[in-house]
């Protein structure tokens, strides 16, 4: 039983070590800077582009809101409940 546990422990450690070893090159690539990064002081970055697009979108939305007209709100409910629709047939059954 001891040898089964020891071999399982060793194999799992080797698996973890292999997984970590294959991820090392990917991690070094992920932390390196791209070619467009580090343009210096005052460089136009992706974040500036995103902010400009959001400001433009907000301005267009505000212009659209000003031009949009809403329908007037009706003054209220009718004073009486109608007993017949505009066609002339009765909705409420007559009591006899």
């Amino acid at each position: 039983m001891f040898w089964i546990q020891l071999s399982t422990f060793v194999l799992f450690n080797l698996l973890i070590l292999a997984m970590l070893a294959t991820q090392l090159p990917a991690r070094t690539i992920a932390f390196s800077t791209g070619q467009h990064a580090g343009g210096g002081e005052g460089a136009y970055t992706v974040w500036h582009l995103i902010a400009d697009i959001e400001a433009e979108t907000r301005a267009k939305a505000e212009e659209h809101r000003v031009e949009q007209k809403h329908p007037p709100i009706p003054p209220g409910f009718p004073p009486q409940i109608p007993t017949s629709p505009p066609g002339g047939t009765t909705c409420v059954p007559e009591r006899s």
Side-chain angles (χ1 to χ4, degrees), residues 41-76:
E41 187 69 29
Y44 191 75
T45 62
V46 174
W47 301 110
H48 289 105
L49 178 64
I50 292 171
D52 289 345
I53 291 173
E54 287 177 353
E56 183 180 332
T57 305
R58 239 181 274 120
K60 284 183 181 178
E62 288 174 4
E63 288 174 8
H64 180 68
R65 264 188 239 130
V66 171
E67 294 172 3
Q68 185 180 12
K69 293 184 180 180
H70 297 286
I73 298 174

Side-chain angles (χ1 to χ4, degrees), residues 74-89:
F77 292 105
Q80 295 180 347
I81 298 176
T83 57
S84 63
T89 60

